Amino acid sequence: MQFTIYETWKNQTDMTEFILLGFGNLMEFQMFLFLTLIVIYILTMFGNILIVILVVFEPHLHTPMYYFLANLSCLEVCYSSTIMPKVLIDLLTGDKSISLLGCFTQLFCFGCLVIVECYLLSVMSYDRYVAICKPLHYATIMNGKVILQCMAMSWICATSILIVIISLMSQLSFCGVREIDHFFCDFSPVLQLSCSDTTHIRLLAVIFGSFDILPPFILTIMSYVCIISAILRIPSTTGRQKAFATCSSHLIVVTIFYGTLMIVYLLPNSIALKKVFSVPYTILTPMVNPLIYSLRNKEVKESLRKTIRILIGFNEKNKWHPVAVFGHNIKL
C-alpha cells in the first residue's frame, strides 16, 4: 500500500492549510511593499544570474574561487525563489493561505539551502586560506575533484538532515490556531502551531545544527584567523592590501550571513524581532552579494565590461556595427 507524507499530514491534522501573517495588515503600504520587494527580487535574479553567466563564459574566471562564487549565486537564486514569489503573491492578492504540502516544501527547500550555504561559505574561506597561506600548493589542493566532492557532500548532508526533520514533523498533529506569524514557513513558527509534543524534534534540530552548522562556522573563523595572521606578516603595505583584497568580499558576505542568522536563531522568543531580522538574510543578502563581489573584484568587473562591450558591439578599434555583435570585426 502506497503511503505518502502528504497522506500522513491529512490523517494526523484537522488543518489543510496555514495562514502566513507576513508583514501584518498594513493595507496602506501593501502596494509600496510589493513594488519594493519585486524590484529587490528582479535585481537579485539579474545580479546572481549575471555572475553565473560571467563565470561560465569567461575562461579566465575558470578557477576554484569563481566556481564557488557561481555556486553561491545559484544558491541565492534558489534561496530567493523559495520565499519571494509567495510573499509577492500574498501582497498582491491578499490571499495569505499556504497548503500544508506547500509549507513543508518551502521549509525543506529553505532549510537545505541555508545548510548548503553554510558549508559553501566555509569551503570558500578555506579556499582563500590555501590561496594566501599555501599559494604553491593551491592548484594541487583545490582541484576540480575536490570542488565537486565539497559541493556533493554539502547537498547530501543538507538533504539528509531535512528529510529526517520533515519526516518527523509530518507525524505531528496541527490543530487550533493556524496562523504563522512570519512571511515564510520557518522551523520554529511552524512547530508552535502543533498540538503534539515537539521536544524531540527541537532537540534533534539542535543536535543536527551542532554537527552541520557549527563546524562550518568554526572552519570559517579558523581560516580567517590564519589568513589575517599571514597578511599581517607581509612586510610591504602593497602586499598586505593586495592579499586582503582577495578575501575581503567573501569576509563581508560571511559577516552579513552569519551575523543576521545568529541574531535570528539566538534571540529570545520574540517573533516580531525574529521576523524583522529575518529580512536581511532571506531578502537583502541575496541581492547585495553580487554587488559586493562585483564592486570589490577587479576580475569580475573586467569580465562585466568585456561582456557589455560584446553585447553592444563595441570595440576600441571599430565603430559599432550589428555584425560586430556576432564576432566579426568590420572597420567602418
Side-chain angles (χ1 to χ4, degrees):
M1 178 179 178
Q2 189 176 8
F3 194 70
T4 64
I5 290 179
Y6 182 63
E7 288 170 343
T8 305
W9 294 334
K10 288 177 66 178
N11 292 335
Q12 299 219 5
T13 181
D14 296 330
M15 294 186 186
T16 58
E17 63 182 18
F18 294 126
I19 302 296
L20 291 169
L21 296 182
F23 298 99
N25 296 318
L26 304 174
M27 298 303 296
E28 63 274 22
F29 298 108
Q30 294 285 86
M31 187 52 63
F32 172 77
L33 195 56
F34 171 80
L35 293 174
T36 302
L37 291 179
I38 198 168
V39 169
I40 290 174
Y41 184 56
I42 291 170
L43 290 176
T44 300
M45 293 295 105
F46 176 78
N48 284 288
I49 291 172
L50 181 60
I51 292 290
V52 175
I53 292 172
L54 289 177
V55 173
V56 170
F57 290 103
E58 284 296 322
H60 69 279
L61 296 183
H62 292 177
T63 62
M65 182 177 75
Y66 293 108
Y67 285 137
F68 289 133
L69 177 57
N71 275 282
L72 179 62
S73 292
C74 287
L75 275 180
E76 302 293 21
V77 168
C78 298
Y79 205 63
S80 292
S81 298
T82 298
I83 296 172
M84 288 292 283
K86 176 59 181 169
V87 174
L88 292 171
I89 290 171
D90 291 351
L91 289 171
L92 189 62
T93 65
D95 181 12
K96 299 183 178 182
S97 63
I98 183 170
S99 67
L100 266 70
L101 181 60
C103 186
F104 278 74
T105 301
Q106 188 182 67
L107 178 57
F108 176 83
C109 295
F110 170 74
C112 278
L113 293 168
V114 168
I115 295 173
V116 171
E117 186 158 349
C118 288
Y119 277 108
L120 180 58
L121 290 175
S122 67
V123 173
M124 290 175 74
S125 66
Y126 180 72
D127 171 78
R128 293 299 82 208
Y129 159 74
V130 176
I132 292 173
C133 301
K134 298 183 179 181
L136 298 178
H137 300 90
Y138 182 77
T140 304
I141 297 174
M142 301 304 297
N143 54 55
K145 184 178 179 181
V146 170
I147 295 172
L148 289 175
Q149 288 176 342
C150 289
M151 295 310 304
M153 286 303 299
S154 299
W155 280 104
I156 290 171
C157 290
T159 52
S160 299
I161 291 169
L162 266 298
I163 286 172
V164 173
I165 294 293
I166 297 298
S167 297
L168 290 173
M169 290 182 70
S170 71
Q171 305 299 317
L172 299 175
S173 296
F174 294 91
C175 50
V177 179
R178 60 174 184 158
E179 295 178 342
I180 300 175
D181 191 10
H182 216 309
F183 56 88
F184 69 98
C185 290
D186 201 2
F187 180 71
S188 293
V190 172
L191 282 188
Q192 287 178 356
L193 301 186
S194 175
C195 46
S196 304
D197 183 13
T198 61
T199 305
H200 62 294
I201 298 180
R202 293 181 185 276
L203 179 61
L204 192 63
V206 170
I207 293 172
F208 279 148
S210 300
F211 282 103
D212 291 281
I213 295 178
L214 193 58
F217 176 69
I218 293 173
L219 176 61
T220 302
I221 296 297
M222 290 176 61
S223 296
Y224 274 103
V225 168
C226 295
I227 288 170
I228 293 172
S229 176
I231 290 174
L232 293 176
R233 289 197 298 269
I234 298 175
S236 68
T237 304
T238 305
R240 286 197 298 269
Q241 291 176 346
K242 185 177 180 180
F244 187 73
T246 63
C247 62
S248 58
S249 298
H250 180 252
L251 183 57
I252 292 171
V253 172
V254 167
T255 303
I256 294 172
F257 179 77
Y258 276 113
T260 54
L261 198 64
M262 287 183 174
I263 289 173
V264 169
Y265 291 103
L266 294 179
L267 278 174
N269 291 325
S270 173
I271 300 298
L273 284 175
K274 288 189 175 185
K275 185 163 48 172
V276 170
F277 282 105
S278 293
V279 173
Y281 81 92
T282 57
I283 296 177
L284 298 180
T285 303
M287 179 187 70
V288 301
N289 280 358
L291 295 175
I292 292 171
Y293 279 109
S294 61
L295 291 177
R296 298 181 64 86
N297 191 298
K298 292 182 179 179
E299 290 180 315
V300 172
K301 286 192 288 187
E302 183 55 38
S303 297
L304 182 58
R305 291 191 193 101
K306 183 179 177 181
T307 302
I308 292 174
R309 291 192 192 106
I310 293 173
L311 290 176
I312 65 174
F314 176 83
N315 189 290
E316 292 180 356
K317 295 181 180 180
N318 301 295
K319 294 182 180 180
W320 186 89
H321 192 277
V323 182
V325 176
F326 298 96
H328 300 280
N329 292 323
I330 298 180
K331 198 166 185 176
L332 300 178

